[in-house]
Amino acid sequence: MKFKIIPIALAVTFSFVSCEDNKKVKEEPVQEEKVTAETSFDYTVGEFADIKILKYQIPGWEELSLKEQKLVYYLTQAGLSGRDIIWDQNYRYNLSIRKALENIYQNYSGDKNTEDWIAFETYLKRVWFSGGIHHHYSMDKMKPEFDKAYLETLMKETQTELASEALEVIFNDKDAKKVNLKEEKGLLKGSATNFYGPNVTAAEVDAFYAKKKSPNPDKPLSYGLNSKLVKEDGKLVEKVWKSGGMYGEAIDKITYWLEKAEGVAENKAQADALALLIKYYKTGDLQTWDDYNVAWVEATKGNIDYINSFIEVYNDPKGYRGSYESIVQIKDFDMSKKMKVLEDNVQWFEDNSPIIKEHKKESVVGVTYKTVIVAGEAGDASPSTPIGVNLPNSNWIRTTHGSKSVSLGNIINAYSHAGGSEKLDEFALTEEEKELSKEYGDTADKLHTALHEVVGHASGKINSGVGETKQTLKSYASTMEEGRADLVGLYYLMDPKIEELGLTDDIDKLGKAAYNDYIRNGLMTQLTRLNIGDDIEESHMRNRQWVSAWAFEKGKNANVIEKVKKDGKTYFKINDYEKLRELFGELLKETQRIKSEGDYEAAKNLVENYGVKVDQDVHKEVLKRSSEFKAAPYSGFVNPILVPEMDDAGEITTIKITYPESFEEQMMRYSKEFGFLPAMN
């Protein structure tokens, strides 16, 4: 599970994706900017459309041993080797379209100062950032600001080929939404993701997996996680993502680097986990996937850790199939020590939760929380990245063996350095509100991330006999889980226990800053990511609105949150923070009940009534007020480049860190070096 809450006081945003190319391109040396401790680090790389590109540092790299540096390098290479997979998962024509666009970009020798060419470059950058032709956040198909005739001219001049249907889809209204969650449009029919064959229906998916029975019903396998479901000769068949199967060319490269990583593992537990991941990639066996997750979650020693495989199911409207992603991380010892107090007290939080006793875990086991330094990301975690992750997603593994929660410290730090306060100054009502956010907002964001991941996702239990949430809550499972974890964090951000644990010097100010920022974002500022008339469909945006809108409505009689008009502008002012905390507790109790009992109708009513529709007058106002800001609403990152230096025998002697000069340079280099999959239509 990923945490994608915005550091609202900084007015920035995140998510995740990646890129490639198999066309022949001219060899060019990589131009790199070298950074030393004496130079001033510039976090900003560039900006286009609604995107700001940043970069992040890897503090403490020089203190790692050569063996540890090799482990990080091999793991990042493994991650990048699978980056083509997310492109094909996102949409069946993405690889073809990207290859064509990149060939044009590399070989066009005409006038590059025209409006059309500038529009072409911008479109290509947007496609790179989103891992395809659909926006990384809104899921809407991105329309280029040049016409089909111009693209055909570019193709002709660069001898670029693209199938007619792939060409047409760039400009027409077909496959307009990557992930559609409106059931009336058809969850599969209305979604462009490449997880199902063209004639497979949602009902057929449900029936297919209803017949799947796990050998041990108390340890349900993650059926559908690593395959595409298609029809062959009228029968449903899974095309498994494994060596020798679908995506086999890329998976073989992933396992090549994972085997090298296994050879320099820090300890036996880490090596054993890597061996199981390799076996899983080679066989596609879901029991091996569970065995790997148990081994991975119990391998807690060492300075290096990683996430790699088909993991989050947000991009599947049916909630079965995992998107490929990779994050390689180094432990931040100082911050991890400070935040360890949360994992040490996770049982206290469970025992004192407002949920009913029957839904509480008697023993919360194996929860670990670390602040980490990201060394490389790929797939669904790049260029747009989460700021916190809690895994594994399997409920039975979490209950029996525990989970790992991480906060991506250097990513959060980069956002902090690159952010501004314009939106805070515009949308906060009072000077006191602004000062609270400036003084405590950063700490509140970090604590909310930690509570969301460590306590939130680890808390509560599903009633005996009730299925997994993807089966019971269906298309509402993701937003319900993220909202539930948000509510856990919100409830405890005003609890004196946080101050008692030494995590803040003033729980009252911290809690107020957190509540102000959350409500302001949930009811107003996140709307900058939508077009006028759009419903909210992204799971995290939905959960932020349904939490905020429910609390606003339920607190109306007591004027807990007040909608204020001042100088013709709308604001939301919290009048009673203690009462708002009680409301968050009530909603947490209900969302846990919904999950524990598998109450689909209650989940649907909560999300549809509070999390989907947008107040159009407020939306128009937010867009108008935000149009005056220079800051782009979305941000993402280029990765540092890990450059191994070799001796005469070909052995790595050291690994240096450099940075790409531009987003375009890194995307084209990735295309050349990690383009292992052919275009699959």
Side-chain angles (χ1 to χ4, degrees):
M1 297 160 187
K2 290 190 176 74
F3 189 68
K4 293 163 57 179
I5 284 288
I6 308 175
I8 300 154
L10 305 172
V12 293
T13 311
F14 3 87
S15 277
F16 36 111
V17 216
S18 197
C19 136
E20 162 295 284
D21 175 50
N22 279 343
K23 296 281 183 183
K24 292 183 179 179
V25 294
K26 295 179 181 178
E27 289 286 345
E28 292 184 9
V30 177
Q31 301 297 317
E32 297 158 347
E33 169 196 353
K34 294 191 176 181
V35 179
T36 67
E38 289 74 31
T39 62
S40 176
F41 191 83
D42 185 358
Y43 288 89
T44 302
V45 175
E47 192 167 325
F48 54 88
D50 55 354
I51 304 293
K52 179 187 285 187
I53 300 296
L54 308 174
K55 59 187 177 185
Y56 58 89
Q57 293 178 291
I58 309 179
W61 176 256
E62 294 78 11
E63 279 89 63
L64 295 179
S65 69
L66 178 58
K67 184 180 180 182
E68 289 171 327
Q69 289 186 353
K70 285 182 179 180
L71 178 58
V72 172
Y73 174 69
Y74 295 149
L75 289 171
T76 56
Q77 292 296 103
L80 288 167
S81 295
R83 58 194 302 277
D84 271 6
I85 295 173
I86 191 65
W87 283 79
D88 191 70
Q89 288 180 323
N90 284 341
Y91 184 52
R92 65 188 183 279
Y93 290 129
N94 275 341
L95 286 173
S96 297
I97 291 171
R98 197 199 62 230
K99 290 172 188 292
L101 297 179
E102 288 178 339
N103 193 62
I104 292 169
Y105 181 80
Q106 182 70 23
N107 295 297
Y108 180 63
S109 58
D111 188 352
K112 296 184 178 181
N113 295 310
T114 66
E115 289 186 7
D116 278 340
W117 177 258
I118 294 170
F120 171 83
E121 286 188 318
T122 299
Y123 180 70
L124 175 55
K125 292 176 192 177
R126 296 184 76 193
V127 170
W128 275 330
F129 190 87
S130 294
I133 65 172
H134 297 86
H135 194 276
H136 74 286
Y137 208 89
S138 73
M139 306 292 180
D140 292 326
K141 187 165 68 173
M142 300 177 293
K143 294 294 181 70
E145 295 184 4
F146 55 85
D147 59 26
K148 179 184 170 187
Y150 179 69
L151 182 57
E152 289 176 323
T153 298
L154 294 178
M155 291 170 60
K156 183 177 180 180
E157 292 185 19
T158 56
Q159 297 183 331
T160 299
E161 295 183 358
L162 184 62
S164 59
E165 188 172 349
L167 174 62
E168 293 294 335
V169 83
I170 295 174
F171 300 96
N172 64 26
D173 294 327
K174 186 178 179 181
D175 298 329
K177 200 83 171 177
K178 185 173 84 172
V179 181
N180 164 60
L181 296 178
K182 296 180 179 178
E183 292 188 351
E184 63 272 19
K185 292 186 177 181
L187 295 178
L188 299 190
K189 186 177 180 181
S191 297
T193 48
N194 192 25
F195 290 136
Y196 300 94
N199 299 316
V200 178
T201 68
E204 287 174 325
V205 174
D206 291 337
F208 182 83
Y209 288 109
K211 296 176 183 177
K212 297 280 188 181
K213 303 299 179 184
S214 298
N216 184 345
D218 293 329
K219 299 179 179 181
L221 299 177
S222 301
Y223 288 118
L225 183 69
N226 65 336
S227 65
K228 178 178 179 178
L229 189 63
V230 301
K231 281 185 178 178
E232 293 182 355
D233 298 324
K235 294 182 178 180
L236 290 173
V237 177
E238 289 182 318
K239 298 178 69 175
V240 179
W241 306 326
K242 65 174 183 175
S243 180
M246 190 171 179
Y247 303 142
E249 302 97 325
I251 289 172
D252 287 343
K253 295 294 184 179
I254 295 171
T255 57
Y256 169 82
W257 289 107
L258 289 179
E259 285 169 347
K260 284 185 170 290
E262 182 188 0
V264 292
E266 297 175 276
N267 52 64
K268 185 177 184 301
Q270 190 181 70
D272 289 346
L274 283 165
L276 283 168
L277 179 57
I278 293 164
K279 180 181 178 182
Y280 168 63
Y281 270 130
K282 289 184 175 181
T283 65
D285 179 63
L286 291 171
Q287 181 59 61
T288 303
W289 171 245
D290 279 359
D291 294 343
Y292 159 70
N293 276 282
V294 171
W296 175 80
V297 82
E298 293 183 346
T300 57
K301 305 297 183 183
N303 300 330
I304 314 301
D305 210 344
Y306 62 94
I307 295 163
N308 183 299
S309 198
F310 313 112
I311 301 189
E312 304 291 358
V313 298
Y314 303 120
N315 286 329
D316 179 2
K318 292 298 295 177
Y320 287 96
R321 296 173 151 75
S323 295
Y324 175 79
E325 70 171 292
S326 172
I327 302 175
V328 182
Q329 56 213 32
I330 304 164
K331 187 185 296 183
D332 183 328
F333 295 98
D334 181 51
M335 283 303 299
S336 293
K337 184 178 180 180
K338 290 178 181 178
M339 300 300 283
K340 187 177 184 298
V341 66
L342 282 180
E343 66 179 79
D344 290 343
N345 286 272
V346 68
Q347 190 64 53
W348 183 93
F349 289 109
E350 182 76 350
D351 294 342
N352 290 274
S353 171
I355 66 178
I356 67 174
K357 183 179 179 180
E358 290 76 13
H359 296 159
K360 295 181 181 180
K361 290 178 179 174
E362 294 79 8
S363 177
V364 183
V365 301
V367 175
T368 63
Y369 179 73
K370 299 289 185 290
T371 298
V372 299
I373 297 162
V374 171
E377 298 179 311
D380 209 25
S382 176
S384 183
T385 170
I387 57 170
V389 182
N390 179 277
L391 292 171
N393 286 331
S394 170
N395 277 306
W396 79 261
I397 296 177
R398 298 164 69 84
T399 300
T400 307
H401 299 277
S403 61
K404 288 180 178 178
S405 294
V406 294
S407 174
L408 310 186
N410 58 333
I411 296 294
I412 295 172
N413 183 62
Y415 277 124
S416 177
H417 279 85
S421 62
E422 296 97 337
K423 280 193 176 181
L424 175 65
D425 292 335
E426 174 62 33
F427 290 99
L429 177 61
T430 66
E431 288 304 314
E432 178 186 10
E433 185 179 339
K434 295 173 188 176
E435 289 306 312
L436 279 173
S437 285
K438 289 175 182 178
E439 185 175 359
Y440 285 92
D442 186 44
T443 301
D445 284 332
K446 290 177 180 177
L447 275 174
H448 194 197
T449 302
L451 288 165
H452 175 111
E453 297 292 352
V454 182
V455 184
H457 286 311
S459 70
K461 64 181 181 181
I462 296 175
N463 291 356
S464 178
V466 175
E468 295 287 302
T469 55
K470 67 182 178 184
Q471 299 167 318
T472 58
L473 305 185
K474 302 178 183 180
S475 61
Y476 301 104
S478 293
T479 190
M480 288 297 296
E481 177 60 21
E482 295 305 319
R484 190 185 66 84
D486 263 8
L487 285 162
V488 171
L490 290 167
Y491 182 76
Y492 283 117
L493 278 169
M494 288 205 77
D495 196 299
K497 184 71 172 180
I498 298 296
E499 188 170 339
E500 178 189 319
L501 294 175
L503 295 171
T504 182
D505 60 355
D506 192 322
I507 190 61
D508 183 64
K509 290 181 178 179
L510 177 93
K512 286 180 177 178
Y515 284 17
N516 290 338
D517 289 348
Y518 194 91
I519 294 299
R520 186 189 320 116
N521 185 51
L523 295 179
M524 293 196 74
T525 56
Q526 72 168 358
L527 299 179
T528 57
R529 297 170 228 164
L530 298 177
N531 297 317
I532 289 294
D534 285 354
D535 289 341
I536 299 176
E537 295 196 51
E538 199 278 332
S539 294
H540 297 79
M541 281 188 71
R542 280 186 167 189
N543 91 243
R544 287 191 286 268
Q545 176 163 298
W546 64 250
V547 168
S548 301
W550 185 95
F552 174 63
E553 181 179 290
K554 299 302 179 183
K556 271 187 176 180
N557 290 340
N559 202 29
V560 176
I561 303 172
E562 181 181 0
K563 187 176 181 181
V564 176
K565 279 283 189 178
K566 181 181 179 181
D567 299 329
K569 296 180 179 181
T570 302
Y571 302 88
F572 286 90
K573 178 176 179 287
I574 301 173
N575 295 314
D576 191 333
Y577 292 91
E578 286 297 329
K579 182 60 179 175
L580 180 55
R581 185 186 181 220
E582 290 178 16
L583 288 171
F584 286 147
E586 290 177 23
L587 186 53
L588 171 57
K589 180 180 178 181
E590 172 62 5
T591 55
Q592 182 60 58
R593 183 200 68 77
I594 291 171
K595 178 179 180 179
S596 296
E597 298 178 2
D599 190 342
Y600 172 79
E601 288 301 323
K604 179 180 179 180
N605 290 336
L606 179 60
V607 176
E608 293 292 342
N609 289 335
Y610 295 99
V612 177
K613 296 299 179 183
V614 175
D615 184 319
Q616 293 302 310
D617 291 334
V618 170
H619 190 190
K620 291 175 184 176
E621 180 188 327
V622 168
L623 291 179
K624 182 179 180 181
R625 291 163 68 179
S626 298
S627 66
E628 300 176 12
F629 307 137
K630 295 180 180 179
Y634 302 99
S635 298
F637 292 85
V638 293
N639 287 308
I641 305 169
L642 304 183
V643 184
E645 295 184 358
M646 312 283 192
D647 61 18
D648 293 340
E651 294 294 323
I652 296 175
T653 57
T654 189
I655 299 174
K656 302 292 187 182
I657 296 177
T658 61
Y659 290 86
E661 281 194 338
S662 67
F663 178 62
E664 305 94 287
E665 182 263 305
Q666 183 157 91
M667 293 298 98
M668 289 298 288
R669 186 173 71 85
Y670 280 174
S671 297
K672 180 174 179 289
E673 295 182 7
F674 301 102
F676 300 125
L677 294 182
M680 291 179 281
N681 298 337

